[in-house]
Amino acid sequence: MDLDVGDAAAEFQDFFERHYAELARLAHLLTGERDAADDLAADALVALWHRWDRVRAAEHPSAYARGVVANMARSRIRSAVRERRRVALFWAHRSERVDDPDVPAIVDIQGALRILPFRKRACVVLRHAFDLSERDTALALGISVGTVKSQTSKGMAELKRLLGSRTATELVGGMR
């Protein structure tokens, strides 16, 4: 049964209203950028609207949407890394360099998350901040459940190492 455009629009609007905040929160936790998170979530929802027939036919539309956000966040992070490298190359050729910059000693949870490679960060965020099951996390990221288990475990171990005596699990869970 095909939906007419009005029915599809109403169905999408309902999906948007139910999932926008969650998708923006996921984007924020993956990128560490609050302003960019709203843009990423909006861009992801535009992309979902353009493929709405495919999305609504998916077994888990919200997992599909999380996957779109994760992929867009990954692309944004890669672009930012490339830009930072270009800036670093520019400044590396300048003569007035500081050899020993003053780096803050305190590492907060967002800073620690940004240190993690994308897949570990995504697994930790989806499992602990979003309380998704291993299966739902695997669906959202397009990876196996075993990969989710290993990446989450390794990510949490790294967070615990980075955060010292603070409990990483409590901090990640407290990001809601």
Side-chain angles (χ1 to χ4, degrees), residues 1-71:
M1 170 175 133
D2 289 329
L3 288 177
D4 69 18
V5 176
D7 290 341
E11 187 180 74
F12 178 77
Q13 180 161 350
D14 179 58
F15 183 86
F16 178 96
E17 290 171 0
R18 284 185 291 125
H19 296 284
Y20 176 78
E22 172 192 351
L23 296 175
R25 192 169 126 243
L26 172 61
H28 177 239
L29 292 172
L30 292 177
T31 64
E33 302 173 23
R34 184 172 305 280
D35 294 335
D38 287 331
D39 292 342
L40 263 172
D43 290 346
L45 285 159
V46 167
L48 292 169
W49 170 246
H50 289 296
R51 295 185 291 246
W52 187 241
D53 286 342
R54 186 181 322 157
V55 175
R56 63 182 291 279
E59 189 173 340
H60 302 283
S62 59
Y64 188 103
R66 288 185 204 109
V68 170
V69 169
N71 287 332

Side-chain angles (χ1 to χ4, degrees), residues 23 34 48 60 68 90 96 98 101 105 121 124 136 144 146 158:
L23 296 175
R34 184 172 305 280
L48 292 169
H60 302 283
V68 170
F90 171 78
E96 64 267 3
V98 175
R121 180 180 339 143
V124 167
D136 288 343
S144 72
E158 184 69 9

Side-chain angles (χ1 to χ4, degrees), residues 82-101:
R82 284 191 300 273
E83 181 62 23
R84 281 189 209 115
R85 285 182 184 148
R86 284 192 292 270
V87 169
L89 282 172
F90 171 78
W91 287 106
H93 293 96
R94 298 188 47 97
S95 60
E96 64 267 3
R97 291 185 9 188
V98 175
D99 291 331
D100 196 15

Side-chain angles (χ1 to χ4, degrees), residues 80-145:
V81 166
R82 284 191 300 273
E83 181 62 23
R84 281 189 209 115
R85 285 182 184 148
R86 284 192 292 270
V87 169
L89 282 172
F90 171 78
W91 287 106
H93 293 96
R94 298 188 47 97
S95 60
E96 64 267 3
R97 291 185 9 188
V98 175
D99 291 331
D100 196 15
D102 183 21
V103 179
I106 299 173
V107 178
D108 65 1
I109 187 66
Q110 288 183 333
L113 281 170
R114 280 191 291 270
I115 291 169
L116 295 178
F118 181 81
R119 187 175 282 177
K120 287 180 187 170
R121 180 180 339 143
C123 287
V124 167
V125 166
L126 289 171
R127 291 282 293 126
H128 293 284
F130 280 78
D131 289 325
L132 291 185
S133 68
E134 290 166 342
R135 182 177 173 275
D136 288 343
T137 300
L139 279 169
L141 298 175
I143 58 178
S144 72
V145 171

